Amino acid sequence: MAYRSFGGRLTVVKVGYIVEGASEKIILKTTKFQDYLRSKQIEQVADIIDMEGKGNLKSSSQRMNTQVQLLRDAGANWIVVLRDMDNAESFAVVKEEVYQAIDTEVCIAVQELEAWFLADSKALSILFQTDFEHPNPETEANPFELLAILRKQYTGRGISDKKIFTRTMLSCGFTIENAAQYSNCPNAHYFLTKLQTLASAN
């Protein structure tokens, strides 16, 4: 767990998570990600909250305000919000749309979380049963559509459901750490670095 000092007394730094959709929640709830948090001395507060759409992440959303307060009441020192960019004009535009507070950090996946799947060459090589590497995952305007095309090309099977495909990727060994280690996926690396920074900053 991560600690901060108050007058020489160490207290635990706790982080709550709010995500745009089910796929993000599935990934963050995995044993591998939870092990990663523990290895970096980060403690998760309560369950990961799936807001079921980016519209519910706005400051004007009563549901968002309620969920943020629930995490604070559960003891969260920091709240991390994970959202897709989805071809928005800029990171700044997306951040302006999302709930803001002094204890809240917004992390944006480029363009979609599925770009991180494209960055995990090991997992995709297992899935496609052949060596595979995407040269620049974050340049894809629609990573999910590309993954559907590639899976059909290599295995004869498409993708009918994002949640099912997310679990398929996890069964092939996908981790955010793998994506973050790929040189052309700085966004995944930024997400993990931000978590560590929140802990070390206290």
Side-chain angles (χ1 to χ4, degrees):
M1 292 180 288
Y3 295 89
R4 58 180 176 178
S5 176
F6 288 94
R9 179 172 59 87
L10 293 178
T11 61
V12 177
V13 175
K14 300 179 180 181
V15 181
Y17 301 87
I18 298 177
V19 299
E20 176 181 332
S23 295
E24 290 88 346
K25 181 173 181 176
I26 290 169
I27 291 170
L28 298 193
K29 282 178 68 72
T30 60
T31 299
K32 288 182 179 179
F33 184 72
Q34 294 298 314
D35 287 345
Y36 174 83
L37 293 181
R38 283 187 286 271
S39 76
K40 301 302 179 182
Q41 299 182 315
I42 299 169
E43 180 181 349
Q44 178 184 310
V45 169
D47 194 9
I48 296 159
I49 298 172
D50 172 11
M51 294 300 287
E52 301 176 316
K54 61 181 63 65
N56 292 323
L57 297 172
K58 296 180 179 180
S59 296
S60 59
S61 165
Q62 182 56 50
R63 180 178 175 185
M64 181 65 172
N65 282 271
T66 298
Q67 297 299 332
V68 167
Q69 191 57 51
L70 285 173
L71 290 176
R72 288 175 179 149
D73 292 343
N77 302 115
W78 291 100
I79 296 167
V80 171
V81 181
L82 180 59
R83 209 207 97 159
D84 289 347
M85 189 168 179
D86 285 331
N87 294 305
E89 183 179 338
S90 67
F91 284 104
V93 169
V94 175
K95 286 198 172 186
E96 287 177 3
E97 294 176 352
V98 180
Y99 178 94
Q100 300 285 334
I102 194 170
D103 60 351
T104 304
E105 286 288 345
V106 179
C107 295
I108 304 166
V110 181
Q111 291 280 345
E112 304 169 340
L113 180 74
E114 286 77 16
W116 295 2
F117 291 162
L118 286 172
D120 192 339
S121 301
K122 292 180 181 178
L124 287 178
S125 294
I126 291 172
L127 177 66
F128 298 152
Q129 299 180 358
T130 187
D131 290 341
F132 179 88
E133 181 175 308
H134 191 291
N136 204 334
E138 294 185 1
T139 63
E140 292 294 338
N142 195 323
F144 180 75
E145 284 189 6
L146 176 61
L147 283 164
I149 292 170
L150 291 170
R151 192 183 190 196
K152 185 72 172 178
Q153 174 185 333
Y154 286 110
T155 71
R157 299 178 60 185
I159 302 173
S160 59
D161 182 275
K162 283 191 174 185
K163 291 186 290 185
I164 292 174
F165 184 69
T166 296
R167 293 190 175 96
T168 298
M169 285 296 296
L170 291 171
S171 71
C172 291
F174 170 80
T175 67
I176 300 177
E177 287 178 89
N178 288 348
Q181 290 168 3
Y182 189 54
S183 58
N184 288 332
C185 193
N187 186 246
H189 182 266
Y190 170 82
F191 174 67
L192 297 184
T193 301
K194 175 57 67 175
L195 294 179
Q196 296 177 51
T197 301
L198 293 179
S200 62
N202 288 277

